[in-house]
Amino acid sequence: MFDYYLRLALASLRRNLAMTTLLVVAIGMGIGASMSLITVLHVMSGDPIPGLSAHLYVPHLDPRPLAAQKAVYGDASDNLTYIDAMALLKARRATRQAAMAGGLVLMRDTPDSPAFKPSYVASRYVTADFFPMFHVPIHIGRALDDNDIAGHARVAVIDEVLAHRLFGDADPLGRTLRFEHDAFTIVGTTAGWRPQPLFYNDIGGRGMFGDPDLVMLPLTTALDLDLSVNNTACWADPDHGANPHLGGECSWLQFWVQLDDDRAASGYRDFLANYWREQKATGRFERKEAARLYRLDAWMDHAHLAPGDLQLQLWLALGFLAVCLLNIVALLMAKFLRRSAEISIRRALGARRTDIFVQLATEALLIGMGGGLLGLAVTAGGLWSIRQRPDAYAHLAHLDASMLLATLALAVGSAVLAGLLPAWRACHVPPAMQLKIN
């Protein structure tokens, strides 16, 4: 029976190619504009580390005095001060905990890579739990460990892409790299660790999109050498001659903990609240806000990953899709009602209203499929244009399998939904109104 409806629908669509083309274009353009931006938001808000995200948390403390001005870029309280980060690290109230910061470090040529031109590389200064907590895969060698951190070792773990760029197919382990003016020994390479977004990064610094860090160094060593830090926000001048990174007047460290279940998370919240009260009692914390603990998904919401202009463009695109659907409803209504005589003859010959409704819905289904194919092409073009933009998230604009299916489903669903009212209206036209008795 469906084959019969399909043949009738194809014949009807071929009879008026201009109307059919208009309907397909309207669906395709509306779907393409909407899905381009939906796809970008999808990849920007996706789970960056599946299987672990439910167990990763960010402690949030705000030690700024009440008189402190709001930072120009981001919120200074999104990072921790050295004093607070070390206190939480020393307490060891989580399964794992890691303090870290990012910076651009000048990498110079060495006897092991004499042809390498000095350049700045994205680096991350970490404590030992960074690697097992985030499941950073090691290609060869080993990760940084507690001995490296405690011993302020001059060792580095580098990305395998950087290792290949520097040494080709040669073994990089044991080779030397020079960062700024100091030599570091390579003890391991990471294997294709590319979380997107870069959830562990500082919100107000290099950002949460883009290329991952190419070099991992011990946090203690980075402090010894006073390596650059991406995002340091200070609300008071440190003591004369003191390193601002070692005090409690500047926030710059990201801090993550691994908590294996809700009970552990609740216990850590209590620990943070007690720490807050202790610090407030000393006069250090002046604000009324209590300490907070963000799970990874909540932290990504807090970071407002999707720019406001992108969200506005999405709403405009969805509005455009709604206008397209309203026009399709009007066009299908006119198309179906113009066939009232044909529908009435079929009803007089014994066709049920259900048969008429299914036939007209099949036409809408075919229009939706055509609009979906066109929408895929428009979406691909829209994503290509987004990738040409200078925004940090632009390189993520690719259509994956789930978004491809969603595009087709949205197109077909929209067309069928738009065709329901016209089909229902057409199949309820009284046949006697159209039949003439000679």
Side-chain angles (χ1 to χ4, degrees):
M1 182 63 73
F2 181 74
D3 292 343
Y4 174 67
Y5 293 138
L6 187 60
R7 290 196 300 271
L8 289 178
L10 288 172
S12 175
L13 294 176
R14 282 196 296 264
R15 278 199 302 267
N16 195 339
L17 287 178
M19 175 72 78
T20 301
T21 302
L22 182 60
L23 289 168
V24 169
V25 169
I27 283 283
M29 295 302 293
I31 294 297
S34 302
M35 289 306 300
S36 296
L37 296 173
I38 290 174
T39 298
V40 175
L41 291 175
H42 166 70
V43 296
M44 290 177 69
S45 58
D47 189 347
I49 188 164
L52 292 175
S53 55
H55 306 296
L56 297 178
Y57 293 80
V58 177
H60 190 278
L61 301 167
D62 190 352
R64 296 175 300 165
L66 293 173
Q69 297 294 322
K70 185 177 181 180
V72 176
Y73 299 103
D75 186 343
S77 67
D78 286 336
N79 297 320
L80 294 186
T81 67
Y82 180 81
I83 289 177
D84 294 325
M86 292 303 106
L88 300 186
L89 197 65
K90 184 178 180 180
R92 292 192 172 275
R93 295 299 184 94
T95 305
R96 291 190 176 97
Q97 49 273 308
M100 67 201 74
L104 290 175
V105 179
L106 180 62
M107 184 167 60
R108 303 177 183 273
D109 57 342
T110 70
D112 291 326
S113 56
F116 179 76
K117 294 181 179 180
S119 62
Y120 285 94
V121 294
S123 305
R124 184 140 296 263
Y125 322 130
V126 302
T127 54
D129 275 356
F130 177 87
F131 294 89
M133 183 166 64
F134 294 148
H135 287 197
V136 180
I138 299 299
H139 178 54
I140 55 175
R142 64 174 179 84
L144 302 179
D145 58 27
D146 288 324
N147 292 330
D148 297 324
I149 308 302
H152 301 239
R154 304 292 176 88
V155 294
V157 173
I158 66 175
D159 186 88
E160 63 178 346
V161 173
L162 177 61
H164 188 268
R165 188 197 314 168
L166 294 175
F167 310 113
D169 295 329
D171 187 356
L173 296 183
R175 294 178 180 267
T176 300
L177 290 177
R178 193 153 58 100
F179 299 112
E180 302 295 347
H181 301 286
D182 298 273
F184 285 73
T185 301
I186 299 173
V187 297
T189 63
T190 59
W193 194 56
R194 302 286 187 273
Q196 289 293 336
L198 302 175
F199 64 95
Y200 59 87
N201 212 342
D202 49 308
I203 296 175
R206 188 165 59 90
M208 301 180 80
F209 299 98
D211 296 328
D213 301 293
L214 297 178
V215 176
M216 307 289 185
L217 304 175
L219 176 62
T220 50
T221 307
L223 283 169
D224 290 344
L225 302 178
D226 196 20
L227 298 181
S228 69
V229 176
N230 284 335
N231 189 31
T232 301
C234 299
W235 46 87
D237 294 329
D239 295 335
H240 180 71
N243 186 340
H245 292 134
L246 298 179
E249 303 86 8
C250 301
S251 64
W252 59 285
L253 282 164
Q254 296 83 61
F255 197 91
W256 287 80
V257 297
Q258 177 183 329
L259 302 168
D260 294 333
D261 51 39
D262 292 340
R263 181 178 179 182
S266 178
Y268 201 89
R269 286 190 181 92
D270 293 339
F271 161 68
L272 280 180
N274 290 333
Y275 179 79
W276 176 274
R277 285 191 287 269
E278 291 171 1
Q279 296 299 310
K280 192 172 181 64
T282 66
R284 184 162 167 259
F285 287 175
E286 298 180 7
R287 297 176 180 265
K288 294 181 179 180
E289 296 91 342
R292 296 189 294 275
L293 184 67
Y294 290 96
R295 201 171 69 174
L296 174 56
D297 52 355
W299 180 249
M300 290 172 62
D301 291 339
H302 171 76
H304 301 295
L305 296 183
D309 61 338
L310 191 64
Q311 293 180 333
L312 176 60
Q313 292 174 39
L314 174 61
W315 283 113
L316 291 175
L318 291 176
F320 176 64
L321 175 60
V323 171
C324 290
L325 291 180
L326 288 175
N327 286 327
I328 290 170
V329 170
L331 290 172
L332 287 177
M333 185 75 77
K335 176 181 173 65
F336 291 164
L337 290 180
R338 283 175 58 187
R339 296 162 56 190
S340 296
E342 171 194 337
I343 293 171
S344 296
I345 292 173
R346 290 198 60 207
R347 290 288 312 283
L349 293 175
R352 298 169 301 174
R353 284 178 176 170
T354 303
D355 298 326
I356 303 299
F357 183 85
V358 172
Q359 175 193 338
L360 299 180
T362 302
E363 287 190 36
L365 174 64
L366 292 178
I367 291 170
M369 293 177 64
L373 294 176
L374 177 61
L376 282 176
V378 174
T379 300
L383 294 176
W384 177 86
S385 67
I386 291 174
R387 289 196 295 273
Q388 311 312 307
R389 296 169 59 172
D391 303 291
Y393 60 82
H395 71 286
L396 300 175
H398 291 278
L399 193 66
D400 58 21
S402 63
M403 287 294 99
L404 186 148
L405 293 176
T407 300
L408 291 174
L410 182 60
V412 173
S414 298
V416 171
L417 184 64
L420 290 180
L421 177 61
W424 180 86
R425 180 69 181 84
C427 70
H428 280 76
V429 172
M433 299 286 292
Q434 300 295 326
L435 297 178
K436 297 180 179 179
I437 300 178
N438 295 324

